[in-house]
Amino acid sequence: MEKKFDVIALGELLIDFTESGKSGNGMRLFEQNPGGAPANLLTAVSHMGYRTAMIGKIGTDMHGAFLKSTLEQEGICTDYIVEDETVFTTLAFVEIDEKGERHFSFARKPGADTCLSAAELDEQILKTCRIFHFGSLSMTDEPAKSATTEALRMAKEAGAIISFDPNYRDALWGKKSDAVEAILSVLPYADMLKISDEESILLTGEEDYTKASGKLLQKGPKLIAITLGSQGVYLVNQERAEIIPGTSVEAIDTTGAGDSFWGGFLSKYLEYGTTLQNMSWEEWKACAQYGNAVAGLCVQKRGGIPAIPDRDAVNHVVQKYKKD
């Protein structure tokens, strides 16, 4: 069957209200930015020239309309986003500290993204993607949790490569143990895993990410990328492990950094047009370097989707990276 899309992602689609200075009377101002980790990732993939589609749910409100319009402008297919008049589009308020790091507060009790049901999935479209990507935030509540596992089953059975980014957010889980259980339950489905160093330790109980990576590989993923912030990424498979340094930049806002990295990584993998098994280590490294370039450009601007660079800008950084 011909693959209609290169990457389909399922999950949260929301508004990031990002802290943006103060008003004349000293009150904090928040800037409306379209976001959600899967949407951020798809934007990066779309900017690199690949066909993308989003599966999720929004409310029939001003925020939902803004999100749908934004994704369409970014070249992402929105045909499989459900609009529901009974729930409100999910909102996240983002406080940024002096280091550019984010602290979240969510309006999601419930948010539209948690209300996607398995019955609202389009099985046919899930059979026509090269890569199916998902995260764990669609697994915090029902019915979205069941929708996620059902979509995962459909895509896996159709032969899609499964990409997983846990994207753990403490505020959205009842207990850490609930998150760990849910993430570990789907890890065997994943072919490629993108995870932060803190998340790798949370899932395994190991003392550092290098030891954690060994345990995670035993769960099923063929390739793991452990993000290390400004240090780059620890890339590991059954044969090799190596830190791929990031680009040295001054971070203004780290919103979407990990998502844009992984979107760049997947885009470079798609460029090779081969199977996971036939990828050489040098090709995997090139994927990580490409992802680092995308993320390095992203953090120099504010917001998630609005900060994601285009292909020409990324290629310029990659060429400079090679010369250095």
Side-chain angles (χ1 to χ4, degrees):
M1 179 183 295
E2 182 182 355
K3 301 300 183 182
K4 183 176 180 179
F5 294 104
D6 296 302
V7 182
I8 290 178
L10 179 150
E12 69 275 13
L13 187 57
L14 51 81
I15 301 292
D16 286 323
F17 280 102
T18 310
E19 190 174 5
S20 181
K22 294 187 178 181
S23 67
N25 61 358
M27 295 294 102
R28 285 191 295 178
L29 298 173
F30 288 85
E31 181 180 61
Q32 181 195 42
N33 284 306
N40 293 338
L41 176 140
L42 288 179
T43 300
V45 176
S46 180
H47 282 196
M48 301 312 129
Y50 294 96
R51 302 163 300 171
T52 60
M54 178 80 191
I55 299 173
K57 178 172 280 194
I58 54 177
T60 54
D61 47 59
M62 63 183 290
H63 300 302
F66 172 59
L67 285 166
K68 187 174 181 181
S69 173
T70 298
L71 264 60
E72 289 170 349
Q73 291 173 23
E74 299 297 342
I76 300 167
C77 177
T78 62
D79 293 351
Y80 311 100
I81 295 175
V82 180
E83 298 177 68
D84 190 335
E85 63 182 11
T86 68
V87 286
F88 200 72
T89 301
T90 301
L91 309 178
F93 292 85
V94 189
E95 183 180 44
I96 303 175
D97 65 22
E98 62 277 4
K99 295 181 180 179
E101 295 298 326
R102 302 159 297 155
H103 305 278
F104 292 88
S105 179
F106 292 91
R108 193 186 189 232
K109 298 181 179 179
D113 70 296
T114 68
C115 298
L116 180 73
S117 70
E120 292 170 314
L121 297 173
D122 186 319
E123 182 174 4
Q124 196 59 35
I125 204 62
L126 284 161
K127 293 180 177 180
T128 64
C129 64
R130 295 170 67 185
I131 296 174
F132 174 75
H133 174 81
F134 74 110
S136 73
L137 296 194
S138 59
M139 300 175 66
T140 60
D141 300 272
E142 291 289 3
K145 181 178 180 180
S146 294
T148 301
T149 55
E150 181 63 8
L152 181 56
R153 181 193 65 78
M154 291 174 181
K156 188 76 172 181
E157 289 183 356
I161 292 170
I162 305 300
S163 162
F164 182 35
D165 174 8
N167 191 34
Y168 174 71
R169 293 285 179 265
D170 183 70
L172 295 179
W173 292 92
K175 296 182 294 185
K176 285 186 178 180
S177 59
D178 293 338
V180 171
E181 181 182 355
I183 293 168
L184 291 179
S185 72
V186 295
L187 200 53
Y189 289 92
D191 296 300
M192 292 193 278
L193 173 68
K194 176 263 174 187
I195 191 169
S196 72
D197 49 352
E198 295 93 345
E199 290 167 342
S200 72
I201 292 168
L202 172 68
L203 291 182
T204 63
E206 290 291 347
E207 60 187 24
D208 65 62
Y209 64 84
T210 59
K211 292 181 179 179
S213 67
K215 279 193 173 181
L216 292 172
L217 278 172
Q218 293 174 9
K219 301 292 184 181
K222 300 173 181 64
L223 188 285
I224 300 176
I226 301 180
T227 54
L228 308 175
S230 60
Q231 295 178 49
V233 59
Y234 182 67
L235 201 63
V236 56
N237 63 14
Q238 293 290 357
E239 289 77 40
R240 296 278 296 271
E242 185 178 346
I243 291 178
I244 314 302
T247 55
S248 180
V249 299
E250 182 177 350
I252 294 174
D253 180 4
T254 59
T255 302
D259 309 323
S260 62
F261 161 77
W262 198 231
F265 187 102
L266 295 180
S267 297
K268 190 64 178 178
Y269 167 76
L270 288 166
E271 182 182 313
Y272 286 115
T274 188
T275 63
L276 298 174
Q277 294 78 8
N278 288 334
M279 287 283 286
S280 70
W281 186 252
E282 288 304 311
E283 288 169 336
W284 283 128
K285 284 178 63 176
C287 291
Q289 290 165 351
Y290 202 82
N292 283 340
V294 178
L297 288 166
C298 178
V299 299
Q300 294 178 66
K301 294 182 179 180
R302 297 184 63 85
I305 288 175
I308 294 172
D310 62 26
R311 182 167 56 183
D312 289 342
V314 176
N315 288 338
H316 177 74
V317 171
V318 171
Q319 291 303 317
K320 184 175 182 299
Y321 187 96
K322 289 179 178 178
K323 291 178 182 178
D324 295 342

